[in-house]
Amino acid sequence: MSALEIVRIPVLSDNYVWLVHDPDSKATMVVDPAVADPVLEAARARGWAITHIWNTHWHPDHTGGNAAIKEAAEAWGGCTITGPAAEFARIPTLDVQVRGGDRVTLGAHVAEVWDVPAHTAGHIAYHFADGEAIFVGDTMFAMGCGRLFEGTAEQMFANMQRLATLDDATRVYCAHEYTLSNARFAVTVDPDNRALADRLAAVETARAAGEPTVPTTIGAERATNPFLRAPTAAELGRIRALKDAA
Ligand code: ZN
Ligand code: FE
């Protein structure tokens, strides 16, 4: 089984759409298409036919490209849109509804669906255990976590604790380039963390050069992410509120 090829497509002001291709089956999947055109261009440039869209949650900057990509995909045999059952009413383009514990496939690659409510009530993530990759939408960011729009600090704490069970090498594909802002905030709540200070410096250099800082890894987050490192839900909630006010 060949490794998945994963392409980062920057769109809007700070979104990343992920284009995922299985060289064996030729299946090609898009995670959270905010928009359609740059995604279609990226696929066409590689000679890939988009066969699947996987959504993590209903927000328009994660689903806005669904309909136009599906329409364009009719020309090469159609594509199937999979997303959270709990948000079906708010993602009318869904073909397949999934929930935590379900398995979805891209060719022979199997991803487990995780329920990760908090940013939205039905938010899900897709974990490829074989490929050591997880698509987390707006649940975890580099040195950050998603805002608690439809859930609680307790739920986000549980999400972070579950992510912390993954191998350090697992790559975390989040949906936004929020890293610099997150790092600058993180050093204010964890000022004695040397790994964090070093990472802030590296991120400042990368961003000044216009380079992306995503995907991240569970190992890097374990060392530097104050939300993953929070010892209790109350502490996560406290720093989430501070970040919201920053
Ligand atoms: Zn969102
Ligand atoms: Fe988003």
Side-chain angles (χ1 to χ4, degrees):
M1 186 163 73
S2 307
L4 295 173
E5 295 175 34
I6 303 178
V7 176
R8 176 196 315 99
I9 307 170
V11 302
L12 306 180
S13 59
D14 53 34
N15 278 77
Y16 288 132
V17 177
W18 301 102
L19 186 63
V20 183
H21 179 72
D22 171 34
D24 297 330
S25 68
K26 311 297 182 204
T28 302
M29 179 267 284
V30 183
V31 182
D32 282 355
V35 293
D37 287 348
V39 179
L40 294 168
E41 274 170 39
R44 287 188 182 117
R46 291 166 176 81
W48 297 349
I50 295 171
T51 52
H52 300 79
I53 295 172
W54 293 359
N55 295 135
T56 64
H57 66 295
W58 67 268
H59 284 164
D61 66 313
H62 298 257
T63 56
N66 278 10
I69 292 171
K70 189 176 175 82
E71 192 181 328
E74 295 301 331
W76 56 71
C79 91
T80 303
I81 306 181
T82 297
E87 299 186 353
F88 176 59
R90 291 194 283 189
I91 316 177
T93 45
L94 282 193
D95 299 309
V96 178
Q97 302 176 42
V98 293
R99 40 178 64 78
D102 286 348
R103 285 180 157 69
V104 287
T105 58
L106 190 70
H109 297 266
V110 180
E112 184 190 356
V113 176
W114 289 20
D115 280 325
V116 286
H119 179 70
T120 65
H123 201 305
I124 58 174
Y126 299 93
H127 177 229
F128 287 98
D130 284 344
E132 294 195 310
I134 186 163
F135 293 87
V136 295
D138 287 353
T139 295
M140 172 184 277
F141 300 110
M143 293 168 277
C145 76
R147 285 180 181 250
L148 309 178
F149 287 126
E150 299 176 6
T152 64
E154 285 73 19
Q155 289 174 319
M156 189 58 91
F157 180 73
N159 297 339
M160 295 293 121
Q161 293 303 299
R162 187 169 183 195
L163 286 162
T165 65
L166 296 173
D167 292 346
D168 277 355
T170 303
R171 286 158 297 143
V172 180
Y173 294 86
C174 52
H176 292 272
E177 177 64 64
Y178 289 161
T179 311
L180 184 55
S181 149
N182 285 341
R184 286 178 173 157
F185 170 77
V187 295
T188 68
V189 295
D190 193 5
D192 299 328
N193 184 332
R194 181 60 193 269
L196 176 56
D198 289 348
R199 193 175 182 195
L200 169 58
V203 165
E204 282 177 332
T205 302
R207 294 305 295 153
E211 292 166 6
T213 63
V214 177
T216 179
T217 64
I218 290 294
E221 297 314 306
R222 205 191 299 284
T224 60
N225 187 321
F227 301 93
L228 188 71
R229 294 164 63 81
T232 61
E235 175 63 6
L236 184 150
R238 186 185 74 81
I239 59 177
R240 182 63 261 180
L242 281 175
K243 177 73 166 69
D244 291 346

